[in-house]
Amino acid sequence: MKEARSYRTKQREMVLQFFSAHPGKCFCAKELIAQKSIPVGSATLYRTLALLCQEGKLKKYTDVSSNSAFYQYNESDSCHYHFHLKCLRCGRLIHMDCNFMKDMQEHIKTNHGFLVDSGKSVLYGFCQKCR
């Protein structure tokens, strides 16, 4: 059985370059299209975002309040092991890698029999700058 090949197209490289130039920031596909941040068609952008997420090069977060998907460059695999804080005003995503959250995750597992997928866990609120 053949493995799925990853093609390196010019459009794909532009999308990946854009995100790698903005580490730690999240972007919605709609805003990238509206701002013409990446000169590719909307169908190509959506398809490329999905492929890059599938390959683990981008992370996808769903904003429950706006029902929008946000994408961020995946600098390392460590994001799968900690919680995130998302500012509702500026959209900043803060990586929360502290012992308290690890203790909370263990408490939930031990006392409630539930294993939290911390890499997909996002707490919403307002960052210090936006308060």
Side-chain angles (χ1 to χ4, degrees), residues 11-28:
Q11 293 85 354
R12 177 186 163 90
E13 289 300 315
M14 284 191 289
V15 172
L16 199 52
Q17 276 184 341
F18 175 84
F19 278 93
S20 66
H22 300 90
K25 290 191 174 185
C26 291
F27 298 93
C28 173

Side-chain angles (χ1 to χ4, degrees), residues 69-89:
F70 288 86
Y71 301 88
Q72 180 184 28
Y73 184 63
N74 190 8
E75 298 176 73
S76 72
D77 286 336
S78 67
C79 266
H80 298 294
Y81 304 108
H82 61 244
F83 290 78
H84 299 87
L85 305 173
K86 176 101 168 126
C87 182
L88 293 169
R89 186 164 294 136

Side-chain angles (χ1 to χ4, degrees), residues 71-121:
Y71 301 88
Q72 180 184 28
Y73 184 63
N74 190 8
E75 298 176 73
S76 72
D77 286 336
S78 67
C79 266
H80 298 294
Y81 304 108
H82 61 244
F83 290 78
H84 299 87
L85 305 173
K86 176 101 168 126
C87 182
L88 293 169
R89 186 164 294 136
C90 71
R92 181 175 174 219
L93 188 73
I94 301 165
H95 301 269
M96 194 172 177
D97 195 15
C98 66
N99 287 332
F100 175 77
M101 296 309 286
K102 291 173 186 170
D103 291 345
M104 185 181 84
Q105 188 173 11
E106 186 58 37
H107 167 84
I108 292 169
K109 180 180 169 188
T110 303
N111 295 299
H112 304 281
F114 190 83
L115 183 61
V116 176
D117 183 350
S118 58
K120 294 183 180 176
S121 298

Side-chain angles (χ1 to χ4, degrees), residues 16 34 42 44 48-50 52 69 75 86 91-93 102 129-131:
L16 199 52
S42 58
T44 299
T48 304
L49 291 171
L52 292 171
E75 298 176 73
K86 176 101 168 126
R92 181 175 174 219
L93 188 73
K102 291 173 186 170
K129 191 174 176 183
C130 292
R131 274 187 277 136

